[in-house]
Amino acid sequence: MTLVPCKADTGRIGKAMNLVLVAPETIARMHRHIGGRTDEALNSCFGISYNTWRKLAAGQPVRASVASRLIVRLSMLESNAKHPAND
């Protein structure tokens, strides 16, 4: 399993946030595709910010919606790597 639910936390505006932990194996998979650790590079590749990357690398929870987007993008990258376009 790649996502582990965490206890809901109250964010800055007082609303409960649905947080998850991303498995270390997923972080290792990300490392294979990372082109740079800037906001621009991380956003274009995974749809995340540098701050989110730091949380993931430190094993901290992130919003479930962010983690879901990351998993989708990572799956697409890996699928494209297995089946390169014929040019």
Side-chain angles (χ1 to χ4, degrees), residues 3 12 17 19-22 27 30-31 34 36-40 42-43 46-71:
L3 302 177
R12 290 181 288 180
M17 294 189 309
L19 300 177
V20 295
L21 288 173
V22 177
I27 307 303
M30 290 174 69
H31 275 284
I34 206 163
R37 290 185 177 98
T38 63
D39 266 338
E40 294 81 14
L42 290 163
N43 195 348
F46 301 119
I48 63 171
S49 69
Y50 179 75
N51 288 338
T52 300
W53 169 252
R54 295 282 307 229
K55 286 181 182 181
L56 292 167
Q60 296 177 348
V62 295
R63 285 182 296 141
S65 61
V66 171
S68 294
R69 180 174 63 240
L70 167 66
I71 298 301

